[in-house]
Amino acid sequence: MQLSILLLYILARHTDLDILKGDLTFSELLGVIPFADPYAVLQIIATGSIPGKSLIIGGLIILLFYALIGGRVFCSWVCPMNIVTDSASALRRKLKIDQDDKPTRISRKIRYWALGLSLILSLIFGLAAFESISPVSILHRGIIYGFGYGWLVVLAIFLIDLFVLKNGFCGNLCPLGAFYAFISKFSVVRIKHIKEKCNLCMDCRVICPEPHVLPMIGKHDALVLSGECNNCGRCIEVCKDDSMMFSLRTKSVNK
Ligand code: SF4
Ligand code: SF4
């Protein structure tokens, strides 16, 4: 999915096919519907500036879509960094780095502190703090418009995820992911676990980038209600017993 969305941006940049034009901070669908990163809009507001009408409408469209419907799917379907961190994750499994006796762990709450800090710094320095250094924006703009030294930032994240911390950037550090996790608590699309079908292999927890959202595996039927689940569907893919599936919040099975 990330590649298809990226392709639309690249086509708009290099051809006359203007389906999705701009970048992840602000873009326009068919030159009419604005899309904006609501976290970037929030940082702009924190600087004391008033964002333009298109930025506000675009930010609201994206915010409402993720908050009410899709959940944190930005991280699994849209963000190009996911391609980098998934590659590091796959290589990490291949090199069996995860079998280390004492894997490095740091708090997943750091990303929320980074989120708060970015807004405070935006307020103090009068510039959108995370947006100015965001590896996500650096990578996305780099792919569309060409890289400067920004690829070094992307390489650093790849190496951290590969050698230092499993899913380190997305799972522990990224304030943009934290923002989407924060607003996704009440979205409708959810993962569902059915206990009767589960053989306790725990493959879902091994593949899940946020395994702490799956405490119910093998214990009881439940919807995954944490906003930190990014609806990537990897747990569904690896489950051979159809114990995991997409569902809707309206069909609650939590016990
Ligand atoms: S956590 Fe951040 S870098 Fe990772 S996929 Fe989400 S927005 Fe992108
Ligand atoms: S619970 Fe499933 S859908 Fe949610 S993050 Fe984990 S693997 Fe992805």
Side-chain angles (χ1 to χ4, degrees):
M1 179 60 86
Q2 284 101 339
L3 292 177
S4 316
I5 294 173
L6 264 177
L7 187 63
L8 291 179
Y9 281 112
I10 292 168
L11 285 174
R13 170 77 173 103
H14 297 287
T15 71
D16 293 332
L17 203 63
D18 287 348
I19 297 174
L20 193 56
K21 193 174 182 180
D23 56 41
L24 287 180
T25 308
F26 180 77
S27 46
E28 281 182 327
L29 181 65
L30 302 171
V32 181
I33 303 172
F35 291 152
D37 171 357
Y39 173 43
V41 175
L42 201 59
Q43 289 170 73
I44 292 170
I45 292 171
T47 67
S49 308
I50 300 172
K53 197 166 121 193
S54 299
L55 261 182
I56 291 181
I57 294 173
L60 279 175
I61 290 173
I62 296 296
L63 181 81
L64 290 175
F65 174 74
Y66 291 135
L68 300 179
I69 302 171
R72 194 186 158 196
V73 287
F74 174 83
C75 291
S76 49
W77 294 1
V78 181
C79 181
M81 189 57 76
N82 200 262
I83 299 167
V84 175
T85 54
D86 273 0
S87 307
S89 219
L91 193 54
R92 203 179 157 96
R93 281 195 297 277
K94 201 167 174 67
L95 297 177
K96 301 194 189 312
I97 293 175
D98 290 336
Q99 290 180 355
D100 188 349
D101 281 347
K102 290 182 184 162
T104 311
R105 289 213 175 89
I106 60 173
S107 170
R108 290 182 181 271
K109 291 197 172 70
I110 290 175
R111 51 189 161 177
Y112 295 103
W113 287 103
L115 171 61
L117 184 65
S118 69
L119 296 176
I120 293 169
L121 291 177
S122 300
L123 178 70
I124 294 172
F125 294 109
L127 90 169
F130 180 68
E131 192 53 31
S132 318
I133 55 160
S134 165
V136 177
S137 298
I138 289 172
L139 177 60
H140 192 254
R141 289 191 191 119
I143 293 169
I144 298 171
Y145 302 106
F147 282 100
Y149 288 109
W151 65 270
L152 288 170
V153 178
V154 178
L155 178 64
I157 289 171
F158 177 80
L159 293 176
I160 288 170
D161 270 27
L162 178 57
F163 293 117
V164 183
L165 194 58
K166 184 182 178 188
N167 297 315
F169 187 68
C170 298
N172 300 78
L173 304 175
C174 178
L176 180 55
F179 175 81
Y180 282 122
F182 189 71
I183 64 165
S184 296
K185 289 187 193 311
F186 304 105
S187 57
V188 167
V189 177
R190 293 282 148 188
I191 297 292
K192 182 165 83 174
H193 171 62
I194 301 293
K195 182 199 164 205
E196 275 67 38
K197 297 183 174 184
C198 177
N199 72 9
L200 289 174
C201 69
M202 295 294 159
D203 284 353
C204 54
R205 289 189 58 122
V206 171
I207 199 78
C208 179
E210 306 272 355
H212 58 286
V213 307
L214 295 173
M216 75 294 282
I217 299 301
K219 294 182 185 152
H220 52 86
D221 295 357
L223 293 175
V224 176
L225 293 176
S226 168
E228 288 172 358
C229 167
N230 61 23
N231 280 339
C232 63
R234 281 174 226 167
C235 51
I236 299 173
E237 264 175 51
V238 295
C239 181
K240 299 174 203 79
D241 301 302
D242 296 330
S243 171
M244 308 296 289
M245 62 203 71
F246 279 113
S247 183
L248 299 177
R249 175 181 278 277
T250 47
K251 298 180 182 172
S252 178
V253 292
N254 278 19
K255 288 178 180 171

